[in-house]
């Protein structure tokens, strides 16, 4: 199975400051069709996960533009340009390139 | 508006069975692969099972293979998960999600508790 390793696992941030989460995969996530099926999800306390980013860098509809995704191959990053109070929660990367689908351990974002 | 609504969770004894359902609306259900993903209390997300749009393939996590069966009824816009031989470690919130590779929509989840 492809192992997804996130860091850090806990991320205290100051309101208005940037935040960055790393996600590394144990194999390349480039699929035979040329796409890289790396997604980022946000799970606010008590809520279901919500997809923020798909195929590395595409923001979902309604996702604030302070969220951005980047990376390639095995190394990916989710950035929040200026953290707001509503961004508190756990963030997961997920790969859909290889079976079985696998998730990172999650990164808990909290306000300092 | 895409909606996924899970149901069927509850308290069951070890070794027991439960059938989860996911009612889909707001999109053409029959053209999407679907998934079940679970989350144990206080833990991360774990993929459980996927089924293709026409039920030609079903895949399972090793942890549930041989015990769980995924199915769907495209005429009823419904996804199912039959869970047999349940264990304490199956205790989790079970989410249904649309699309195997990208899980763009999630339901609100249904809690399954396996305990004597």
């Amino acid at each position: 199975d492809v192992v997804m390793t996130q860091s850090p696992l806990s991320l205290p941030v100051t309101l208005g400051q940037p935040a960055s989460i790393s996600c590394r995969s144990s194999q390349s996530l480039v699929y035979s069709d040329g796409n890289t099926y790396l997604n980022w999800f946000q799970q606010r306390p008590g809520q279901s996960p919500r997809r923020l980013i798909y195929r590395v860098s595409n923001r979902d509809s309604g996702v604030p533009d302070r969220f951005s995704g980047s990376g390639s191959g095995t190394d990916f990053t989710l950035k929040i340009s200026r953290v707001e109070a509503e961004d508190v929660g756990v963030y997961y990367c997920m790969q859909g390139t290889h079976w079985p689908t696998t998730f990172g351990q999650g990164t808990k974002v909290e306000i300092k | 508006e895409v909606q996924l609504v899970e149901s069927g969770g509850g308290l069951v004894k070890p070794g027991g069975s439960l059938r989860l359902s996911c009612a889909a609306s707001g999109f053409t259900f029959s053209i999407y692969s679907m998934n079940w993903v679970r989350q144990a209390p206080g833990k991360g997300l774990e993929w459980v099972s996927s089924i293709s749009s026409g039920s030609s393939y079903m895949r399972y996590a090793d942890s549930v293979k041989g015990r769980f069966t995924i199915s769907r009824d495209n005429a009823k816009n419904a996804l199912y998960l039959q869970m047999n031989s349940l264990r304490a470690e199956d205790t989790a919130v079970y989410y249904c999600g649309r699309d195997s590779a990208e899980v763009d929509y999630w339901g609100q989840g249904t809690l399954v508790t396996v305990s004597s």
Side-chain angles (χ1 to χ4, degrees), chain A residues 20-25 28-30 34-40 53-58 68-79:
Chain A
S20 180
I21 301 170
S22 169
C23 176
R24 289 194 166 97
S25 59
S28 172
L29 299 185
V30 180
N35 289 312
T36 299
Y37 294 97
L38 185 284
N39 308 279
W40 288 97
I53 302 285
Y54 63 97
R55 297 185 202 177
V56 181
S57 59
N58 297 280
S68 64
S70 64
S72 63
T74 62
D75 202 346
F76 306 94
T77 302
L78 175 71
K79 290 183 179 174

Side-chain angles (χ1 to χ4, degrees), chain A:
Chain A
D1 297 1
V2 176
V3 177
M4 304 296 286
T5 303
Q6 288 184 229
S7 63
L9 299 184
S10 178
L11 185 54
V13 293
T14 302
L15 286 174
Q17 292 301 301
S20 180
I21 301 170
S22 169
C23 176
R24 289 194 166 97
S25 59
S26 59
Q27 299 177 36
S28 172
L29 299 185
V30 180
Y31 190 54
S32 54
D33 64 3
N35 289 312
T36 299
Y37 294 97
L38 185 284
N39 308 279
W40 288 97
F41 299 90
Q42 175 194 62
Q43 188 174 31
R44 291 171 172 152
Q47 294 188 13
S48 303
R50 165 200 182 196
R51 196 180 69 176
L52 299 175
I53 302 285
Y54 63 97
R55 297 185 202 177
V56 181
S57 59
N58 297 280
R59 236 183 345 262
D60 273 281
S61 175
V63 174
D65 60 8
R66 64 179 181 274
F67 289 94
S68 64
S70 64
S72 63
T74 62
D75 202 346
F76 306 94
T77 302
L78 175 71
K79 290 183 179 174
I80 310 173
S81 59
R82 295 172 306 280
V83 171
E84 297 190 7
E86 65 178 19
D87 300 335
V88 165
V90 181
Y91 292 77
Y92 297 92
C93 59
M94 182 206 93
Q95 67 83 19
T97 297
H98 303 283
W99 288 105
T101 297
T102 47
F103 291 88
Q105 317 97 300
T107 295
K108 187 173 184 178
V109 172
E110 57 186 11
I111 305 301
K112 277 184 189 174

Side-chain angles (χ1 to χ4, degrees), chain B residues 79-113:
Chain B
L79 175 71
Y80 305 103
L81 187 68
Q82 177 66 43
M83 303 187 297
N84 299 330
S85 303
L86 282 161
R87 305 166 180 167
E89 54 265 35
D90 296 319
T91 293
V93 174
Y94 285 73
Y95 297 101
C96 69
R98 189 179 83 165
D99 193 287
S100 301
E102 302 190 285
V103 199
D104 53 353
Y105 288 94
W106 299 65
Q108 86 290 347
T110 187
L111 176 62
V112 172
T113 303

